[in-house]
Amino acid sequence: MENIFYKYQGTGNDFVMIDNRNGLFPKEDTALIAKVCHRRFGIGADGLILLENDSETDFRMVYFNADGNEGSMCGNGGRCIVAFAHFLNVIGKKTVFIAVDGLHEATIDNNVVSLKMMDVNEVKEKTNALYMNTGSPHHVQMVNELKSFDVAKEGARMRYGIYGEKGSNINFVEPNASGGFDIRTYERGVEDETLSCGTGVTAVAIGMYHLGNTKEKTIPVNALGGNLEVSFKENNGLYYDIYLKGEAKQVFKGELTW
């Protein structure tokens, strides 16, 4: 079998994108997906995303982690699939689509995608950290000297040591001179540090507001792969109308054979 694929990246978070409206891609083949995402033996990506038909929305997003397993919501992947759907003329400049965590609204303008994220109804306070679900589970912890911090080692230790086999994404954050925050993320499923994580950036913005480290409700967050912006509303510890905004770009296209 053969399938055209496209490669997209959102602040360095990269994805293999496949138009699966014909339903032919073997998405139950975990080994194939993991091989496609492998950076030595495959195309190389942080995940694989299928665009599928949905009877009630513009399209369905099906996201797989780099290990081949279907994953929870991916914010940067969500922004990239909006750009992909726009490229395929499935949508115009506005869309409503469904993902594993429910409905998402989004707009696109000149490669900049603003994606509405799920509401955050609870922020759990832990020792020197916060935990919340922004479509995926996230641990948020402030550190000093983020640039030299061993994210891969500490992220792996905490991902398994605190959260067990099911795990959580682990985010390390530090305020920057521009009034925003810098972030580095260890992503479960990838099992390594990634250049950017959209749900992690969202968690950091909410977490920094929750801790009183900023009074702003539109917050710039800088990942290794680039800059993103998170805006939200808040009422009595409930966070809603959350938007993740940043660029999403097509990198190349090719042919996948299996």
Side-chain angles (χ1 to χ4, degrees):
M1 293 289 291
E2 297 177 347
N3 215 123
I4 299 297
F5 74 88
Y6 296 81
K7 186 80 172 287
Y8 275 74
Q9 65 87 15
T11 53
N13 216 183
D14 58 343
F15 308 96
V16 172
M17 314 288 291
I18 294 177
D19 179 359
N20 195 42
R21 287 176 290 172
N22 58 16
L24 295 179
F25 184 80
K27 57 186 178 183
E28 73 287 343
D29 192 338
T30 302
L32 171 64
I33 296 170
K35 184 177 181 180
V36 167
C37 292
H38 199 289
R39 296 193 184 277
R40 296 292 183 269
F41 299 105
I43 298 165
D46 292 326
L48 181 145
I49 302 177
L50 303 178
L51 185 149
E52 297 188 341
N53 289 319
D54 182 71
S55 61
E56 298 181 357
T57 67
D58 293 329
F59 61 88
R60 177 178 295 273
M61 170 186 173
V62 184
Y63 172 70
F64 296 89
N65 288 316
D67 62 6
N69 294 305
E70 189 168 352
S72 49
M73 180 57 185
C74 176
N76 285 330
R79 294 190 305 103
C80 284
I81 200 170
V82 170
F84 184 44
H86 184 260
F87 167 76
L88 294 175
N89 293 315
V90 172
I91 65 169
K93 290 191 173 184
K94 295 182 179 181
T95 184
V96 176
F97 68 94
I98 191 160
V100 67
D101 62 337
L103 294 176
H104 289 269
E105 300 173 14
T107 60
I108 180 169
D109 185 19
N110 293 326
N111 294 322
V112 175
V113 177
S114 181
L115 174 67
K116 188 175 184 180
M117 308 295 286
M118 64 173 279
D119 295 347
V120 175
N121 297 321
E122 183 181 23
V123 178
K124 295 181 180 179
E125 297 190 13
K126 305 173 72 70
T127 303
N128 300 319
L130 298 173
Y131 176 84
M132 71 192 79
N133 191 322
T134 55
S136 291
H138 281 280
H139 175 104
V140 176
Q141 183 165 322
M142 298 195 74
V143 298
N144 295 319
E145 299 182 3
L146 181 63
K147 287 184 178 180
S148 59
F149 193 79
D150 194 339
V151 170
K153 179 181 177 181
E154 288 302 305
R157 181 184 67 82
M158 296 167 69
R159 177 253 194 270
Y160 290 103
I162 298 176
Y163 298 100
E165 187 62 31
K166 185 176 181 181
S168 171
N169 302 286
I170 309 295
N171 304 276
F172 302 101
V173 57
E174 185 176 47
N176 58 42
S178 65
F181 297 90
D182 295 332
I183 178 180
R184 293 176 65 188
T185 300
Y186 180 94
E187 247 187 281
R188 67 171 189 172
V190 179
E191 305 308 335
D192 202 351
E193 181 177 11
T194 55
L195 291 179
S196 179
C197 174
T199 52
V201 165
T202 303
V204 161
I206 291 172
M208 293 303 97
Y209 180 88
H210 186 85
L211 290 173
N213 293 327
T214 180
K215 294 182 179 179
E216 301 298 324
K217 293 180 181 178
T218 298
I219 302 172
V221 182
N222 302 327
L224 293 179
N227 303 328
L228 290 162
E229 180 184 276
V230 178
S231 61
F232 54 84
K233 296 178 182 176
E234 182 268 339
N235 184 28
N236 293 324
L238 303 179
Y239 296 86
Y240 60 100
D241 285 352
I242 304 167
Y243 285 88
L244 175 68
K245 183 178 179 180
E247 285 191 334
K249 293 183 176 180
Q250 186 180 127
V251 180
F252 60 80
K253 69 179 285 190
E255 188 175 87
L256 174 64
T257 304
W258 67 91

